[in-house]
């Protein structure tokens, strides 16, 4: 890649004329291509990393266009979705500033250890702190600290596990849902926004303050036999299409129990939106219309922050929303 950099009369360079290179984890190739396609005013060049292994399974990584990193704004689209992928990507992040990039922005759509952010019993390990410290060790670039962009982090206190060596920027995918609800095909739907628990309500309710949607909050209560059942704690679901909103889904049981409570209280339909569709052990299959699910979700929105969501394309009730345009704007913001 070649890029002409204009020199002003006083000898300084226009910062917006430095080239931008986007490197990415192998699992994020499709999203990286989308980001490049979205960027029309400010061109983005895709970087080329060779991700191989030695016979003993340790990473053997080679950056093909490393000579072009110097004086470039560098982006890295990460996916730390399992422990095996972390070491290789962290190694790349530690080396990019050493090739004299002007800036480094780490696009980390999903912070994987966010649910293990606190210690409740002596002996537990807060792995959110461990991963935050690893990312905090990214060296400074020529213009200062690197920026780490995270979407819908599970707990806001996670941001304070990072050191001041980097800048943490928290973003949300909820805007994609709001865009969907404004579409013409949804004009006749009477929506309310439902949260499966108080935690989701605290994290996301402020994002709906400027809308006219009513709020419903579900909660688990303990019965006399020590079992927990999900009930509607606050709000009215009767006669409404309830859109359940949460940051992530794993087994999906919490969403199913919330949906059952809403339907029992008169909801005409239930749908869901989650920022991160993790779905370990293919737990997404229990929601498929073709599998005659226990609870029928009208639409289940997920975003492509996590590699697994590729499996959900064209699988009703799932609809995969892309964060590419959001990331494209963030790249130059």
């Amino acid at each position: 890649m070649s890029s002409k950099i204009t020199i002003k009369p006083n000898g300084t360079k226009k910062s917006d004329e430095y080239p931008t290179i986007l490197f990415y984890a192998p699992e994020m190739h499709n999203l990286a291509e989308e980001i490049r396609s979205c960027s029309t005013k400010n061109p983005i060049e895709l970087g080329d990393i060779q991700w191989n292994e030695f016979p003993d399974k340790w990473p053997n990584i080679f950056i093909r266009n490393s000579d072009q990193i110097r004086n470039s704004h560098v982006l890295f689209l990460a996916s730390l979705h399992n422990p095996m992928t972390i070491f290789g990507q962290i190694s790349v992040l530690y080396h990019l500033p050493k090739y004299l990039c002007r800036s480094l922005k780490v696009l980390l759509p999903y912070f994987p250890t966010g649910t293990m952010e606190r210690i409740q019993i002596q002996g537990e390990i807060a792995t959110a702190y461990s991963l935050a410290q690893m990312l905090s060790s990214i060296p400074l670039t020529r213009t200062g600290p690197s920026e780490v962009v995270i979407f819908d982090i599970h707990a806001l206190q996670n941001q304070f596990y990072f050191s001041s060596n980097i800048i943490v920027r928290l973003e949300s995918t909820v805007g994609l849902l709001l865009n969907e609800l404004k579409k013409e095909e949804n004009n006749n739907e009477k929506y309310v926004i439902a949260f499966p628990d108080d935690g989701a309500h605290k994290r996301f309710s402020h994002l709906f303050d400027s809308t006219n949607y009513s709020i419903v909050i579900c909660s688990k209560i303990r019965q006399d036999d020590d079992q927990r059942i999900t009930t509607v704690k606050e709000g009215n679901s009767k006669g409404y299409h309830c859109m359940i909103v949460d940051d992530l889904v794993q087994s999906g049981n919490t969403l199913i129990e919330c949906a059952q409570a809403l339907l029992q209280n008169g909801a005409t339909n239930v749908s869901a939106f989650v920022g991160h569709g993790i779905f370990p052990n293919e737990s997404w299959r229990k929601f498929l219309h073709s599998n005659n699910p226990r609870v029928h979700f009208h639409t289940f929105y997920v975003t492509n922050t996590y590699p697994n969501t590729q499996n959900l394309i064209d699988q009703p009730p799932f609809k995969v929303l892309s964060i590419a345009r959001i990331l494209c704007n963030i790249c130059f913001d």
Side-chain angles (χ1 to χ4, degrees):
M1 181 191 72
S2 63
S3 179
K4 184 177 179 182
I5 299 176
T6 303
I7 307 295
K8 293 182 180 179
N10 62 3
T12 61
K13 301 173 183 179
K14 288 184 178 180
S15 60
D16 60 349
E17 292 186 3
Y18 289 103
T20 300
I21 306 176
L22 171 60
F23 295 100
Y24 53 90
E27 298 83 359
M28 302 303 248
H29 173 76
N30 291 341
L31 182 53
E33 289 281 7
E34 280 190 67
I35 295 170
R36 180 173 68 169
S37 298
C38 289
S39 182
T40 53
K41 293 183 180 179
N42 301 289
I44 294 176
E45 182 78 13
L46 291 189
D48 188 2
I49 298 179
Q50 186 176 330
W51 302 89
N52 292 325
E53 290 182 342
F54 290 108
D56 61 0
K57 299 301 182 182
W58 282 92
N60 178 14
I61 304 169
F62 183 77
I63 303 175
R64 292 187 183 275
N65 50 347
S66 60
D67 57 317
Q68 296 168 359
I69 294 175
R70 189 184 183 101
N71 283 323
S72 295
H73 295 291
V74 173
L75 311 165
F76 186 82
L77 179 58
S79 180
L80 309 181
H81 57 283
N82 66 52
M84 295 180 64
T85 67
I86 292 177
F87 183 80
Q89 292 178 67
I90 288 289
S91 298
V92 171
L93 291 172
Y94 286 178
H95 280 76
L96 289 172
K98 297 180 184 297
Y99 287 108
L100 300 179
C101 60
R102 289 198 64 79
S103 65
L104 174 60
K105 190 171 291 188
V106 183
L107 309 175
L108 179 59
Y110 172 58
F111 186 69
T113 56
T115 57
M116 194 57 197
E117 83 287 356
R118 63 184 183 273
I119 296 173
Q120 295 178 308
I121 302 173
Q122 185 72 21
E124 289 183 333
I125 302 297
T127 51
Y129 172 82
S130 305
L131 185 56
Q133 288 297 298
M134 293 169 70
L135 291 167
S136 297
S137 296
I138 298 172
L140 297 176
T141 70
R142 299 183 72 175
T143 56
S146 299
E147 185 175 330
V148 178
V149 181
I150 302 172
F151 281 85
D152 296 320
I153 199 164
H154 183 70
L156 289 177
Q157 58 262 40
N158 282 326
Q159 65 186 304
F160 301 109
Y161 284 157
F162 294 84
S163 78
S164 56
N165 194 57
I166 62 168
I167 299 169
V168 178
R169 175 174 175 175
L170 302 183
E171 297 286 345
S172 180
T173 59
V174 168
L176 296 175
L177 170 63
L178 293 175
N179 291 339
E180 287 293 312
L181 297 182
K182 293 175 185 176
K183 287 186 174 179
E184 186 176 350
E185 62 261 31
N186 291 319
N187 284 347
N188 295 325
E189 292 288 337
K190 290 176 56 181
Y191 284 109
V192 296
I193 304 301
F195 298 107
D197 50 44
D198 288 324
H201 175 248
K202 289 176 182 177
R203 283 192 299 275
F204 294 114
S205 61
H206 70 281
L207 298 174
F208 298 93
D209 285 347
S210 60
T211 70
N212 294 320
Y213 300 116
S214 299
I215 299 296
V216 177
I217 306 172
C218 292
S219 179
K220 287 189 176 182
I221 61 171
R222 191 184 300 275
Q223 294 184 303
D224 293 337
D225 57 2
D226 211 33
Q227 291 194 2
R228 291 175 177 266
I229 62 168
T230 301
T231 63
V232 174
K233 171 186 173 183
E234 184 179 322
N236 176 33
S237 63
K238 187 174 182 179
Y240 287 97
H241 185 160
C242 295
M243 179 65 67
I244 306 171
V245 176
D246 208 353
D247 63 322
L248 60 85
V249 56
Q250 301 239 20
S251 70
N253 291 336
T254 297
L255 296 179
I256 290 173
E257 292 169 6
C258 178
Q260 287 177 319
L262 294 168
L263 290 168
Q264 289 169 3
N265 279 266
T268 57
N269 243 327
V270 288
S271 291
F273 171 88
V274 295
H276 312 297
I278 312 306
F279 293 116
N281 303 315
E282 297 189 332
S283 57
W284 51 272
R285 293 187 178 276
K286 71 178 68 173
F287 293 94
L288 294 181
H289 288 173
S290 58
N291 286 344
N292 192 25
R294 181 164 47 127
V295 176
H296 186 281
F297 281 75
H298 180 272
T299 309
F300 197 134
Y301 296 100
V302 296
T303 75
N304 57 347
T305 60
Y306 195 78
N308 267 3
T309 50
Q310 293 296 318
N311 299 323
L312 308 181
I313 297 174
D314 297 325
Q315 297 268 24
F318 293 103
K319 183 173 183 179
V320 180
L321 308 177
S322 178
I323 61 171
R325 193 163 295 280
I326 301 175
L327 287 174
C328 185
N329 293 331
I330 289 172
C331 290
F332 300 98
D333 184 6

